[in-house]
Amino acid sequence: MARRTSRTPSRTAAPASCPCGLPADYADCCGRYHSGAAAAPTAEALMRSRYSAFVVGDAAYLARTWHPRTRPEELDLDPAARWTGLEILDTGGGSAFHSAGTVTFRASYRGGSLHERSRFERVDGAWVYVDGEFLA
C-alpha cells in the first residue's frame, strides 16, 4: 500500500462495519484513528487503519501516518479501486514495547490482491508507515 502518485480524491462515505476485518463498527475501530480521536497503539493497528483509509479514500490520514522521510508529496487514490478484504499474515515487533515493527498482509481488491511486508517506526511516540516490500 505504498502507492506514490499525484492527486488526492475526495473521501467516500464511512462504512458501518470496519473495512479492516475486525468485528467492530468503523467509528469504534479505525474511524477513531482517522478522526484523530485516538492513535493506533501498534503497528498492526496502524496497518489496519491505513487499509481502511484506502477503502474510504482518506488520503489525509494516509499522509499523516506516513514517515516524513518516505512520504510522497501528493497521493493519488484510484476512486474506481474496490478493496474487498484484508488478511494479516504475520507481525514482528510493533507493540507498545517496540520502536519498529513489520506487518505482512494480503489486501484483496476486485480483480486481484496485493501482498506486502510493511515496515513501521515510531516518530514522536506515534506509529508511522515507512515503506513496504511487495511479495510474490
Side-chain angles (χ1 to χ4, degrees):
M1 315 255 303
R3 199 165 184 194
R4 295 174 188 243
T5 49
S6 61
R7 66 184 167 94
T8 304
S10 61
R11 290 178 63 170
T12 60
S17 62
C18 196
C20 80
L22 294 177
D25 291 339
Y26 169 76
D28 295 329
C29 194
C30 294
R32 63 194 168 127
Y33 305 139
H34 294 173
S35 71
T42 65
E44 180 181 341
L46 182 64
M47 174 62 241
R48 288 181 178 280
S49 69
R50 286 178 56 83
Y51 169 82
S52 293
F54 274 96
V55 172
V56 302
D58 191 345
Y61 179 77
L62 292 167
R64 195 167 65 244
T65 58
W66 208 312
H67 197 292
R69 77 172 181 262
T70 59
R71 179 187 315 132
E73 289 185 29
E74 296 182 28
L75 298 174
D76 179 18
L77 304 181
D78 183 355
R82 296 294 174 250
W83 296 98
T84 59
L86 176 66
E87 180 183 7
I88 302 297
L89 303 172
D90 189 36
T91 61
S95 77
F97 303 104
H98 297 100
S99 59
T102 60
V103 178
T104 304
F105 67 91
R106 182 173 294 110
S108 299
Y109 56 88
R110 191 179 312 149
S113 67
L114 170 72
H115 189 190
E116 181 178 311
R117 181 177 302 113
S118 294
R119 292 187 322 123
F120 298 88
E121 293 178 4
R122 285 186 184 265
V123 172
D124 297 328
W127 285 107
V128 293
Y129 170 79
V130 177
D131 59 20
E133 171 190 0
F134 294 111
L135 305 171

